[in-house]
Amino acid sequence: MSQPAADRFPTPALEKLPADIRERILAVQEKSGFVPNVFLTLACRPEEFRAFFAYHDALMERDSGLTKAEREMIVVATSAANQCHYCVVAHGAILRIRAKNPLVADQIAINYRKADISPRQRAMLDFAMKVSRAAQDISEQDFTEVSRHGFSDDDIWDIAAIAAFFALSNRMANVTGMRPNDEFYLMGRLPK
Amino acid sequence: MSQPAADRFPTPALEKLPADIRERILAVQEKSGFVPNVFLTLACRPEEFRAFFAYHDALMERDSGLTKAEREMIVVATSAANQCHYCVVAHGAILRIRAKNPLVADQIAINYRKADISPRQRAMLDFAMKVSRAAQDISEQDFTEVSRHGFSDDDIWDIAAIAAFFALSNRMANVTGMRPNDEFYLMGRLPK
Amino acid sequence: MSQPAADRFPTPALEKLPADIRERILAVQEKSGFVPNVFLTLACRPEEFRAFFAYHDALMERDSGLTKAEREMIVVATSAANQCHYCVVAHGAILRIRAKNPLVADQIAINYRKADISPRQRAMLDFAMKVSRAAQDISEQDFTEVSRHGFSDDDIWDIAAIAAFFALSNRMANVTGMRPNDEFYLMGRLPK
Amino acid sequence: MSQPAADRFPTPALEKLPADIRERILAVQEKSGFVPNVFLTLACRPEEFRAFFAYHDALMERDSGLTKAEREMIVVATSAANQCHYCVVAHGAILRIRAKNPLVADQIAINYRKADISPRQRAMLDFAMKVSRAAQDISEQDFTEVSRHGFSDDDIWDIAAIAAFFALSNRMANVTGMRPNDEFYLMGRLPK
Amino acid sequence: MSQPAADRFPTPALEKLPADIRERILAVQEKSGFVPNVFLTLACRPEEFRAFFAYHDALMERDSGLTKAEREMIVVATSAANQCHYCVVAHGAILRIRAKNPLVADQIAINYRKADISPRQRAMLDFAMKVSRAAQDISEQDFTEVSRHGFSDDDIWDIAAIAAFFALSNRMANVTGMRPNDEFYLMGRLPK
Amino acid sequence: MSQPAADRFPTPALEKLPADIRERILAVQEKSGFVPNVFLTLACRPEEFRAFFAYHDALMERDSGLTKAEREMIVVATSAANQCHYCVVAHGAILRIRAKNPLVADQIAINYRKADISPRQRAMLDFAMKVSRAAQDISEQDFTEVSRHGFSDDDIWDIAAIAAFFALSNRMANVTGMRPNDEFYLMGRLPK
């Protein structure tokens, strides 16, 4: 088997965590029925935990010109390019649920250029992928191209910031050998 | 939506196909309950169709030192590196069934280095990925490393030939915009 | 010296081969004056041998909108990108003969963008090289560009399929350490 | 001139900012004599601003097995690989000051393998660069190698987390066209 | 510490050098106040030394449609891409002096696309970088693009030849572990 | 046809060239029976011409621990990696003659790892290729490896300098669209 990195960064016992972190974890557990491993892995560093989830929520929960499904598309596409087990599986599940589409997450993870998405979403992912893979090359032409599809400058910040935040997140998950919970693999695949 | 390539290479009508091809397609349909799109897309060129499936069967159905699940692992890992929708989704389904494991196909597709596989399977995929990505660099050291895990020269040929055959297959699927059938996405994910 | 891989996959004795394969080999020998090594290396796996050459002939011998020399151009360009000794040397020889041009094979192998070929052939090789190097990125724009030069959808299939078939062939030749016969190096270089 | 991206994301007026952000900015200004542009560019999104600096401080200000200068080395090396103007210039200045060394920041930015640093620092940067460029390939061997130089698992988390955080930071700076303040270029270059 | 390569290629004693080389070195010392290390490292091979500096002067000192500052921009941009300590530091200093600009060398070294340069200079560097990174792909379109900014064919030769000459120079500096003299780091950074 | 770059940099008339250059060209013509195009293309810049050939001769004609054939191997291997028509064809011819081997030049150009060369020559080419492709990564380990095969530090300088010089030469040939003379293609292929 193969996540030896996980042994280096053991999950702290729930009862030893600061109260605010323990409460957040218990709340997630109540809502989801299980605790996504990202909460447990990061909890060993309370300050980083708080900053990480504050940042995450600021990007993924705020009102935005992007739907919540579209934001998850950015996560799945860029995390697949970074070969991040945790984020592709966990956010793939969330994308299936938010898009009410059992196929689109796998399609985007494998090759977003061939996914069943709108031209607007394709332009969004082209921009996000360039931020993720080659932000140093982003040019005025890239802004123009994505703007043509109706994205405001504020929306473009969202696209970029989500790609940038998961550049961080994917690296932490890969280094810590973070495993996606088994529950995620099947979520959103069955008709309700 | 986005497979315009598919319009360039339309599927021929079943009744216009040569008898042997039509029969093969009907046999698959009877066994699987649907016709995987690869059969329909390639049927427009009967000679290539016959050679393609003869090659496929020679590699994937023969007796081998590799289990059938292991051979599908090679397909999934190399097809993911080639970002091939059809092969990752369709062979991911077959891998789940053959390995009786609902998680391993997604794990291998995203990052085979982090998948729950044995060290022997990891060495097999390292060799297969080098054949797929940089066969020109294969050296005596690569043979030695994979041999250390108990693979015979005949097994190594199998590993290489499967990676090579799907180098062909992935390119054809990507150029023709081949879509995986919707049925594949869920196959092998539910407990029997 | 340096093809140790060749020792792992020894050439079978001609008299032990199945009759159809032995006859094919003898026919080639009679026509060419020698047996190209690809026939001997692959003969150890009769079923794969038959599928390989059936596929090869379906692509390289059929009627097509591409001349036979143009098809060899695709082989040489993509095999050079894959650094495949056998295919660059052997198909370089065939290209010189079919194009009746002693220079064009070396030109295409080194840098096809600088070769003495027509704009139509340049567009054909641009498409073939993208299939070979990055089929996952093939877009509608690539089809449009190659179509502009008069290639039909059927011709485009040929271009793609030849590039895809030699993606397989180059990998097998590199893994097995297949040597081009010495005879190929000089073929087609001298005026008749 | 060339930061048109900066026009898309204008700096908000100081007096319109939430009190906590305004105070942080004024405090920095008092300490440094100027306001580093990162504070102004990010202030247009207060929640992200707070999370960003909380994360930054948790990594860069905490007690650690890494000196503050070593942490800045990680920032400079990975930001140079990401071609990030703002971070190379601004953190280059901080590195010169913290290391009391006017040369080492330029050396690390250009080619850290040739910089005048200790073998331990070289191992630290090798690990950090792999997190930054190819975290998906991090293996047990990488952990072993960096551990050999005396880094604890907690230190390794710091190395990885700083590389990961600046993967985010560099992308935001590149997309927003963030300019380093002119003051940074000369800081730490002159003997006191 | 880390320039062991330098030990393999020791600097010859000044008095043992051929007279013309010794005189050139003494003249540089008189003018600059120190001997740039490139002169000492290369002096162990007198013929190559003479050819190197003859080539250098032919490109960098001749009359040209490019200003001397622009020529140094090409050196800094391409040497940064080649991660060459010596050339980025030494020619960065010369660029600051020739452009009378203390910031532009660092900007170009880190990411020339974001530097405060004119569109003409940007086009010049785009062409130079393509010569440096992928000369085999230079096409008519690249010539057309750089010509649009007013560069003559003779100017384009200069751009290409400087990028090509420093392709040589960067490689020699990297292999020999050539150190930039400490004096270069601060040159041109302070107002006169 | 496709060397439009050549039109931008026309060959000067022989009688208008400085006497020393004209004489060198006539001497080559007398010896070889034709004037290799590199002499004509570079002659439009007499100072660069003189420096180029002085450098070339200093590396390729001097006494060295490398045979002349070995030096040509370095030229062919690195020029093939740079996809340089002129240098692969012209120096391939010289290599065939100097090595008295009609096959080795094509073998090295296509994939030097599979060429019929000695382990010592393989180590020499590994080092040369690293100088050509990634000199910034050259480490003590690379020196140790090549030294193991009996190369002195002086020999290693030769290997590096030849790879570096042809980094320059290949770029100039690619930018100027330099054509190899037709005569080169067949030279050294026929038994004497």
Side-chain angles (χ1 to χ4, degrees), chain B residues 32 34 36 56 60-61 68-69 71-73 75-76 86-101 104-105 166 184 187-188:
Chain B
S32 308
F34 64 97
H56 175 277
M60 303 303 283
E61 307 292 340
K68 286 192 175 179
R71 284 178 262 177
E72 296 296 332
M73 287 178 185
V75 180
V76 171
Y86 187 85
C87 296
V88 175
V89 173
H91 288 272
I94 303 173
L95 171 53
R96 286 190 295 271
I97 290 168
R98 297 213 159 146
K100 299 188 202 316
N101 179 329
V104 74
F166 281 87
F184 284 123
M187 279 170 61

Side-chain angles (χ1 to χ4, degrees), chain A residues 56-121:
Chain A
H56 175 275
D57 294 353
L59 294 170
M60 304 303 281
E61 308 291 341
R62 78 191 287 271
D63 283 339
S64 159
L66 313 181
T67 66
K68 288 193 173 178
E70 286 170 343
R71 284 177 262 177
E72 297 295 334
M73 287 177 184
I74 296 170
V75 180
V76 172
T78 60
S79 299
N82 287 326
Q83 298 184 257
C84 177
H85 254 205
Y86 187 85
C87 296
V88 175
V89 173
H91 287 272
I94 303 174
L95 171 53
R96 285 190 294 271
I97 291 168
R98 297 215 159 146
K100 298 187 201 320
N101 179 330
L103 309 186
V104 74
D106 291 347
Q107 292 174 348
I108 288 175
I110 298 168
N111 187 345
Y112 78 95
R113 300 174 209 81
K114 302 289 183 77
D116 293 327
I117 56 177
S118 68
R120 172 187 142 96
Q121 289 164 342

Side-chain angles (χ1 to χ4, degrees), chain E:
Chain E
M1 299 302 142
S2 65
Q3 270 95 356
D7 303 339
R8 296 180 175 276
F9 306 118
T11 300
L14 205 59
E15 65 276 13
K16 299 219 171 152
L17 292 174
D20 63 318
I21 292 178
R22 191 172 57 240
E23 275 157 35
R24 171 140 195 176
I25 289 176
L26 292 172
V28 171
Q29 185 172 35
E30 189 157 312
K31 185 176 163 206
S32 308
F34 64 96
V35 184
N37 288 329
V38 63
F39 290 93
L40 300 174
T41 303
L42 297 185
C44 64
R45 296 270 192 127
E47 285 181 76
E48 295 168 40
F49 179 103
R50 290 181 196 110
F52 181 93
F53 287 106
Y55 217 136
H56 175 276
D57 294 353
L59 294 170
M60 303 304 282
E61 308 292 340
R62 80 190 284 272
D63 283 338
S64 159
L66 313 181
T67 67
K68 287 192 174 179
E70 285 170 344
R71 283 177 262 177
E72 296 296 332
M73 287 179 185
I74 296 169
V75 180
V76 171
T78 60
S79 299
N82 286 327
Q83 298 184 258
C84 177
H85 255 204
Y86 187 85
C87 296
V88 175
V89 174
H91 288 272
I94 303 173
L95 171 52
R96 285 191 293 272
I97 289 167
R98 297 215 160 148
K100 298 187 202 319
N101 180 328
L103 308 186
V104 73
D106 291 347
Q107 292 175 348
I108 287 175
I110 298 168
N111 187 344
Y112 78 95
R113 301 173 209 81
K114 301 291 182 75
D116 292 327
I117 56 177
S118 67
R120 172 187 143 95
Q121 289 164 342
R122 167 66 192 266
M124 174 187 80
L125 292 182
D126 282 340
F127 193 87
M129 288 295 275
K130 191 155 182 182
V131 173
S132 181
R133 311 310 290 159
Q136 65 276 15
D137 292 335
I138 289 275
S139 69
E140 196 52 23
Q141 194 178 332
D142 297 305
F143 282 101
T144 304
E145 182 59 25
V146 71
S147 298
R148 277 203 320 111
H149 290 271
F151 291 103
S152 69
D153 288 342
D154 210 48
D155 297 338
I156 295 173
W157 178 293
D158 282 345
I159 298 170
I162 294 168
F165 179 77
F166 281 88
L168 179 163
S169 180
N170 294 165
R171 281 162 179 77
M172 288 309 295
N174 262 319
V175 173
T176 59
M178 204 183 283
R179 278 181 76 86
N181 307 57
D182 290 2
E183 288 86 343
F184 284 123
Y185 288 82
L186 195 60
M187 278 170 61
R189 292 190 182 276
L190 297 171
K192 296 250 173 173

Side-chain angles (χ1 to χ4, degrees), chain B residues 4 8-9 45 48 51 55 59 62 82-83 131-132 135-136 140 143 153-154 157-158 164 168 171 174-175, chain C residues 4 8-9 45 48 51 59 62 82-83 131-132 135-136 140 143 153-154 157-158 164 168 171 174-175:
Chain B
R8 297 180 174 274
F9 307 117
R45 298 270 192 127
E48 296 168 40
Y55 217 136
L59 295 170
R62 78 189 287 270
N82 287 326
Q83 298 184 258
V131 174
S132 182
Q136 65 275 14
E140 195 53 22
F143 281 101
D153 289 341
D154 210 47
W157 178 295
D158 282 345
L168 179 163
R171 281 161 179 77
N174 262 319
V175 172
Chain C
R8 297 181 174 274
F9 306 117
R45 297 270 193 127
E48 295 167 42
L59 294 170
R62 79 191 285 272
N82 286 327
Q83 300 184 257
V131 173
S132 182
Q136 65 276 14
E140 196 51 24
F143 282 101
D153 288 342
D154 211 47
W157 179 293
D158 282 345
L168 179 163
R171 282 162 178 77
N174 263 319
V175 172

Side-chain angles (χ1 to χ4, degrees), chain A residues 158-176:
Chain A
D158 283 345
I159 298 170
I162 293 168
F165 179 76
F166 281 88
L168 178 162
S169 181
N170 295 165
R171 281 161 178 78
M172 288 309 295
N174 262 319
V175 173
T176 60

Side-chain angles (χ1 to χ4, degrees), chain A residues 4 8-9 45 48 55 59 62 82-83 131-132 135-136 140 143 153-154 157-158 164 168 171 174-175, chain D residues 4 8-9 45 48 59 62 82-83 131-132 135-136 140 143 153-154 157-158 164 168 171 174-175:
Chain A
R8 297 181 173 274
F9 307 116
R45 298 271 192 125
E48 296 167 41
Y55 216 136
L59 294 170
R62 78 191 287 271
N82 287 326
Q83 298 184 257
V131 173
S132 182
Q136 65 276 15
E140 195 52 24
F143 282 101
D153 289 341
D154 211 47
W157 179 294
D158 283 345
L168 178 162
R171 281 161 178 78
N174 262 319
V175 173
Chain D
R8 297 181 173 274
F9 306 117
R45 297 269 192 126
E48 295 168 40
L59 294 170
R62 79 191 285 269
N82 287 326
Q83 298 184 259
V131 173
S132 182
Q136 66 275 14
E140 196 52 23
F143 281 101
D153 288 343
D154 211 47
W157 179 293
D158 283 344
L168 179 163
R171 281 162 178 77
N174 262 320
V175 172

